Amino acid sequence: MFDVTKQKKQNFLQGASILMVSMIIVKLVGAVFKIPLGNILQETGYAYFTASYSLFTTIYALTVTGLSTAIARMVAACSTKKRYRDCRNILHISIKLFVILGIVGTLAMILCSKLFAHASNADDAVWAIIFMAPAVFFSCMMAAYRGYYEGLRNMIPTAISEIVEVITKMITGLLFAYLFLLWGEHQYEQTGKVFGFAVKSSIEGSQPSTTDVIEAILPFAAAGAMLGITLSTLFGFLYLYIAYKRSGDGFTKVDLMNSPKPIKSKSIMNTLLKTALPITLSSVVINLTGMIDLFSVMNRLEYAYQQNSAYFMNTYGDFTRGKEIHTYIYGGFGMAVTIFNLVPAFTALFAKSALPNLTAAWVQYDKGRLKTSIESVLRMTSVIAFPAGIGIFVMADPISLLLYGERPGVLVSVAPPLRLLGLAAIFLALVSPLYSIFQAVGRFDLPVKFMLVGAVLKLTINFILVGIPEINIKGAPIGTGICYFVIMLLCLITLKKITDIKFYFLKVFGGVFLASLLCGATAFLINQLSDEKIVTVCAIAGAGVVYVIGLLLFRALPESDVRMLPKGDKLAALMKKLHLLAPSEVETK
């Protein structure tokens, strides 16, 4: 077992680098999971998968996110003050809380499964919801240990547990989805039923077609995929539990003996809940955007279809025979969201890694360090978000074909919303680290307020635009983009007021933005050579090379950021010699 206690505390970028490596592995393996899963489940089954996952993420936000972040923040503050016994108490108390919340969350997901599936206009998603319910409990247990180690500025346990989780998910999720599909087909051949249910024909008075049979099996295949996810959370928790039992947290007996008298458990509990509640509410409101899409988009698509069915049949008719057209369209949107979520998933690593360092700077009232840390996290977030978002915007069609090319109708169902989601990804990616900054400085209430504003905007835009037949599903990513753009502006304006620090946002983002434009233009031009998949891969690779060159030519990165990277001192010395570093504040004054 890897000894997690032998790792030194990591600075912001070192911690982010560790999480980045694990995230690359996680997302590559995740792509191996979700892309073939999309081909197994098809658009209809993927809609059930998306619906059940939306409920899971909402319950996860209620039971996990706030407390996990609160643990990290409290442990970071106590560790900075060398209150090591308090750190241990925080972990023990949080585990007890998470056991209770995990049980409650699991039961809530099971008991609300039918109601939720019906309300989201996806009644057949009920089996997937039930099969995924235990994942809430195991995710809660993982979160306690992850939050604890992250507060100690040790991202290794989180990184390894995420890799364990995603590899298990890929193997078991695909296996069970495929086996359930085969099992259902075998049952129909033997009994004329699928898992005990009669198969209805889409054409009244005729025998069920092959498409009808597959459509009847897909809810259970989606449930099989969810069973795989549940098992993956179990294995992720088991790794963290065993790692802690074997390696501990690195505190020595001397550390604990010299630690100040611990705070009473009741006081820790009160602080933990007080810190977690606003973060939890914020996380719930963030997940409300997904819930808003689920409830409003499906129903408004059905409304739009009733208003102008001819338009929908001309656009989607060739791919929806024997299927519910609004479920098919929403499933395609779910596939686009899977690609879109890659961007904020990577940039969230900077938010997670930066929280302990930002908290320490705020606790010590080190204004200079706070300014440097905030600018670093925003700049490094933009380094990922800008080129990725612009790249998705200009390459939506070839990316969709590259990832889902075997599915008919990809350019109709996946690519249009994906193109708009590319731009929305930039704003969402920047919001996540901004929220961590507010949490670090103790303003837990602000993310909730900002997200409520964004949620109202999104719901309004969804209701209006998705209900227009000619816009339909494209209204959802438009709403997402406007929602997070407004939130980002509110965050930046408020951050400047709270910290009383003057930020030069053009200096922070300018060089990265110019390099990202070059990156997007390169990808677009190379892709014009051919529609072959190998050209798409070359376009992405070529754009990446041009982007790195652009970052250097525009001197987008300052010396302080480069030095925080692994082997950063040597790299910074070389870049400084070649005049490739951004000028320091002294040089610009």
Side-chain angles (χ1 to χ4, degrees):
M1 179 68 65
F2 185 80
D3 188 351
V4 296
T5 66
K6 291 182 180 179
Q7 300 302 310
K8 295 180 180 179
K9 288 184 178 180
Q10 300 118 16
N11 65 39
F12 150 57
L13 281 182
Q14 287 171 343
S17 298
I18 291 169
L19 292 176
M20 186 70 70
V21 172
S22 73
M23 183 57 70
I24 290 171
I25 297 171
V26 166
K27 290 305 174 182
L28 285 174
V29 178
V32 174
F33 168 62
K34 285 192 174 180
I35 293 169
L37 182 66
N39 289 319
I40 293 172
L41 299 182
Q42 305 176 30
E43 281 79 2
T44 302
Y46 211 87
Y48 303 141
F49 179 89
T50 303
S52 56
Y53 210 90
S54 294
L55 178 59
F56 168 77
T57 54
T58 301
I59 294 179
Y60 182 91
L62 278 167
T63 56
V64 174
T65 307
L67 276 172
S68 181
T69 305
I71 293 166
R73 188 182 188 280
M74 288 178 65
V75 170
C78 289
S79 178
T80 300
K81 298 175 182 178
K82 298 184 179 181
R83 303 188 67 91
Y84 302 122
R85 284 192 279 178
D86 285 332
C87 291
R88 287 272 181 90
N89 285 343
I90 291 167
L91 175 63
H92 297 152
I93 291 169
S94 64
I95 289 174
K96 293 176 183 177
L97 271 176
F98 273 129
V99 168
I100 297 170
L101 289 172
I103 293 172
V104 171
T106 297
L107 291 175
M109 196 162 176
I110 293 172
L111 295 174
C112 296
S113 57
K114 285 188 178 180
L115 177 65
F116 178 82
H118 180 72
S120 60
N121 208 5
D123 292 286
D124 289 332
V126 64
W127 298 107
I129 294 171
I130 291 172
F131 275 57
M132 194 172 187
V136 176
F137 177 80
F138 299 124
S139 295
C140 282
M141 300 311 297
M142 273 196 293
Y145 291 101
R146 284 178 176 174
Y148 184 63
Y149 279 118
E150 287 163 14
L152 295 174
R153 303 187 210 177
N154 184 358
M155 305 301 165
I156 294 287
T158 294
I160 296 178
S161 66
E162 286 175 346
I163 293 171
V164 170
E165 187 180 353
V166 76
I167 290 175
T168 306
K169 177 170 66 175
M170 177 191 69
I171 295 171
T172 58
L174 289 177
L175 178 64
F176 286 130
Y178 184 66
L179 288 178
F180 274 50
L181 194 63
L182 293 180
W183 188 11
E185 290 175 345
H186 177 73
Q187 282 195 345
Y188 182 76
E189 291 174 0
Q190 298 296 316
T191 66
K193 294 183 178 181
V194 170
F195 297 101
F197 294 92
V199 179
K200 296 180 181 180
S201 174
S202 56
I203 302 175
E204 191 174 346
S206 65
Q207 291 294 318
S209 64
T210 302
T211 301
D212 295 327
V213 175
I214 295 297
E215 289 288 301
I217 298 173
L218 288 178
F220 301 97
M226 289 306 183
L227 177 59
I229 292 178
T230 293
L231 289 174
S232 74
T233 58
L234 168 61
F235 278 81
F237 160 63
L238 288 176
Y239 164 76
L240 286 167
Y241 178 79
I242 295 170
Y244 181 76
K245 288 298 181 183
R246 289 189 61 177
S247 304
D249 50 22
F251 296 152
T252 65
K253 290 183 179 180
V254 175
D255 290 334
L256 295 171
M257 286 178 61
N258 294 333
S259 176
K261 183 180 178 180
I263 301 170
K264 292 182 179 180
S265 296
K266 185 177 179 181
S267 178
I268 290 177
M269 175 77 78
N270 290 336
T271 305
L272 191 62
L273 293 174
K274 184 180 178 181
T275 305
L277 182 60
I279 300 173
T280 297
L281 291 175
S282 173
S283 181
V284 170
V285 177
I286 289 173
N287 282 281
L288 277 179
T289 58
M291 296 292 285
I292 287 169
D293 277 340
L294 179 61
F295 287 118
S296 62
V297 170
M298 292 275 273
N299 289 292
R300 294 301 289 169
L301 280 173
E302 191 172 23
Y303 169 82
Y305 175 73
Q306 293 170 354
Q307 297 300 305
N308 190 349
S309 59
Y311 176 84
F312 279 83
M313 294 310 297
N314 287 335
T315 305
Y316 303 102
D318 292 340
F319 314 109
T320 58
R321 302 191 194 284
K323 306 174 183 178
E324 288 183 320
I325 196 164
H326 65 278
T327 305
Y328 171 87
I329 297 171
Y330 185 76
F333 174 64
M335 292 179 179
V337 169
T338 296
I339 303 171
F340 155 78
N341 281 336
L342 290 173
V343 182
F346 276 104
T347 58
L349 304 180
F350 294 116
K352 183 180 292 188
S353 180
L355 181 61
N357 292 279
L358 289 166
T359 301
W362 183 256
V363 168
Q364 295 170 344
Y365 301 103
D366 189 337
K367 196 171 181 179
R369 181 182 169 193
L370 183 66
K371 180 178 187 296
T372 301
S373 296
I374 291 174
E375 288 184 344
S376 289
V377 71
L378 291 178
R379 182 166 39 248
M380 297 311 294
T381 299
S382 69
V383 165
I384 301 292
F386 285 6
I390 292 171
I392 290 173
F393 176 76
V394 301
M395 296 279 287
D397 284 5
I399 288 174
S400 299
L401 289 172
L402 177 67
L403 299 179
Y404 300 111
E406 301 302 318
R407 302 279 319 125
V410 164
L411 289 180
V412 173
S413 61
V414 180
L418 178 61
R419 181 173 295 105
L420 297 170
L421 284 171
L423 298 181
I426 297 174
F427 308 131
L428 173 56
L430 287 168
V431 164
S432 181
L434 285 167
Y435 280 0
S436 278
I437 294 169
F438 287 127
Q439 290 160 7
V441 300
R443 291 303 306 268
F444 309 105
D445 58 311
L446 292 176
V448 180
K449 295 174 182 177
F450 295 155
M451 274 307 305
L452 284 173
V453 173
V456 171
L457 268 174
K458 179 159 179 56
L459 180 60
T460 304
I461 294 168
N462 274 9
F463 187 84
I464 296 172
L465 295 185
V466 178
I468 300 173
E470 292 76 15
I471 297 178
N472 62 82
I473 194 62
K474 291 189 288 292
I478 292 172
T480 299
I482 294 174
C483 165
Y484 286 109
F485 176 73
V486 170
I487 292 170
M488 182 190 71
L489 287 181
L490 290 173
C491 286
L492 291 174
I493 292 169
T494 309
L495 178 64
K496 197 171 181 178
K497 292 180 180 178
I498 290 175
T499 60
D500 193 30
I501 295 174
K502 190 173 183 179
F503 298 100
Y504 297 94
F505 293 119
L506 182 61
K507 178 185 171 185
V508 173
F509 299 124
V512 178
F513 180 68
L514 291 176
S516 300
L517 290 179
L518 279 180
C519 171
T522 302
F524 178 79
L525 291 173
I526 294 176
N527 194 67
Q528 299 307 302
L529 298 175
S530 171
D531 58 0
E532 295 292 328
K533 291 183 179 181
I534 187 63
V535 175
T536 301
V537 174
C538 291
I540 295 171
V545 172
V546 170
Y547 177 61
V548 172
I549 295 172
L551 286 177
L552 297 175
L553 291 179
F554 292 122
R555 301 170 73 189
L557 301 178
E559 183 176 348
S560 57
D561 283 4
V562 177
R563 287 193 181 279
M564 284 193 288
L565 293 168
K567 306 296 182 182
D569 289 340
K570 293 181 179 179
L571 183 60
L574 176 61
M575 292 177 66
K576 191 172 184 179
K577 187 176 181 180
L578 297 173
H579 303 288
L580 296 175
L581 290 172
S584 65
E585 287 193 25
V586 175
E587 292 172 329
T588 56
K589 287 180 180 179

